[in-house]
Amino acid sequence: MRLAEKAHCLVWILHRRDGLGLTGKACDDGALCRLSGALPVAAAQLIDRPAEIKFPLVLAARKSHNSGRMKHHPDDLIMLFNDLFRRSHQTVLVKGGDEPEYIPAAGPDQPARIVFAHGFYASALHEISHWCIAGARRRGLHDYGYWYCPDGRTAAQQQAFESVEVRPQALEWLFSVAAGSRFHISVDNLSGQGAADEAGFRARVRAMADHYLRDGLPARAARFHQTLLTFYGRQTLFAQAWQDQGLTTSESTR
């Protein structure tokens, strides 16, 4: 049997199997995983081959991603996240209703749940970002032990809100670019006094994202970011896409 035929059969067999997990060495929670720059085309092609084995559901999607407008479905994020972290961190990503929520594990057979709102793709990325930052103690608490101050905040409350949202929104932005999806800065205070400093907040989020790229993402965030790059075939596109996002940021803060 020729190599191409063997590869085709292998992929078909993998499609027939349920629950195939992703491979890869896990990092310690306290470690930082440095991201490499854009890979040469030849190297990216080599990575794409095992990617077909890692992600058996990606084959049809990859063709559409490369030949037309990319589609983003939250079920893809659920598959990728759960394959990465269900066993290693006893945590799953699930669709929810009106409000996002983090529910810690209740036992060996009851994993922690990251619940994202309305089945929205962007909401899933945002909630994953919060989880990637939370330490072990926080992950043992409902909603990481934080009390959410709802929409309608005063200027002082909004300033406090923005200060704790810089890191998760920086990760969300990096995840969005890795997936090729649109990212929107969220000040989340429509019925209150609005953003304390919207331009400044956006600049701080951008600066934090640049810091992560330069010095390393948190370990779990780095694993998920690389998974998105591989799944959506954007290893060679990320560097330029991120630079283009910087130009947009500069224009929006003038």
Side-chain angles (χ1 to χ4, degrees):
M1 183 181 292
R2 291 179 301 176
L3 179 60
E5 293 173 338
K6 290 181 179 180
H8 177 79
C9 289
L10 176 60
V11 170
W12 183 85
I13 291 171
L14 290 175
H15 266 291
R16 300 288 294 177
R17 294 176 58 190
D18 294 327
L20 182 69
L22 303 184
T23 60
K25 183 179 179 181
C27 300
D28 293 335
D29 277 358
L32 290 179
C33 296
R34 189 177 301 278
L35 293 176
S36 60
L39 295 172
V41 173
Q45 290 173 342
L46 290 175
I47 288 178
D48 285 347
R49 298 287 294 183
E52 294 177 352
I53 299 175
K54 284 185 179 182
F55 311 123
L57 302 181
V58 76
L59 299 180
R62 283 179 57 80
K63 182 175 181 181
S64 64
H65 289 171
N66 293 329
S67 61
R69 184 177 179 180
M70 190 179 298
K71 296 181 180 180
H72 296 92
H73 199 287
D75 285 348
D76 291 335
L77 297 180
I78 291 173
M79 176 191 72
L80 297 174
F81 183 92
N82 293 353
D83 277 346
L84 276 176
F85 299 115
R86 180 195 297 269
R87 291 185 179 179
S88 64
H89 289 78
Q90 198 184 354
T91 304
V92 295
L93 179 69
V94 297
K95 293 179 183 178
D98 292 339
E99 296 295 336
E101 185 179 15
Y102 172 74
I103 304 169
D109 298 324
Q110 295 178 287
R113 288 175 288 160
I114 302 171
V115 183
F116 63 99
H118 301 291
F120 290 157
Y121 190 94
S123 177
L125 289 182
H126 185 76
E127 298 310 315
I128 291 170
S129 300
H130 275 286
W131 180 83
C132 286
I133 291 171
R137 185 179 68 84
R138 290 278 182 195
R139 297 198 305 275
L141 303 172
H142 183 265
D143 279 342
Y144 312 111
Y146 292 115
W147 175 72
Y148 176 71
C149 186
D151 193 354
R153 291 179 286 273
T154 65
Q157 289 172 332
Q158 180 63 23
Q159 188 172 11
F161 170 84
E162 291 176 13
S163 68
V164 300
E165 278 288 311
V166 169
R167 290 197 300 160
Q169 292 203 33
L171 287 182
E172 182 189 351
W173 199 344
L174 294 173
F175 292 160
S176 297
V177 176
S181 63
R182 295 191 65 180
F183 170 75
H184 300 280
I185 286 284
S186 174
V187 297
D188 193 27
N189 196 26
L190 298 178
S191 62
Q193 299 179 25
D197 178 11
E198 185 169 359
F201 177 61
R202 185 180 182 91
R204 291 194 298 276
V205 172
R206 171 73 194 199
M208 179 56 69
D210 286 334
H211 165 77
Y212 281 142
L213 289 177
R214 182 178 63 252
D215 296 334
L217 276 72
R220 284 167 285 134
R223 290 179 64 194
F224 188 66
H225 184 269
Q226 186 58 51
T227 296
L228 291 174
L229 288 173
T230 304
F231 182 80
Y232 289 104
R234 289 177 58 82
Q235 296 96 327
T236 60
L237 303 176
F238 179 83
Q240 184 60 53
W242 183 249
Q243 183 178 350
D244 293 343
Q245 293 281 310
L247 295 175
T248 303
T249 302
S250 299
E251 293 170 358
S252 65
T253 55
R254 288 174 184 170

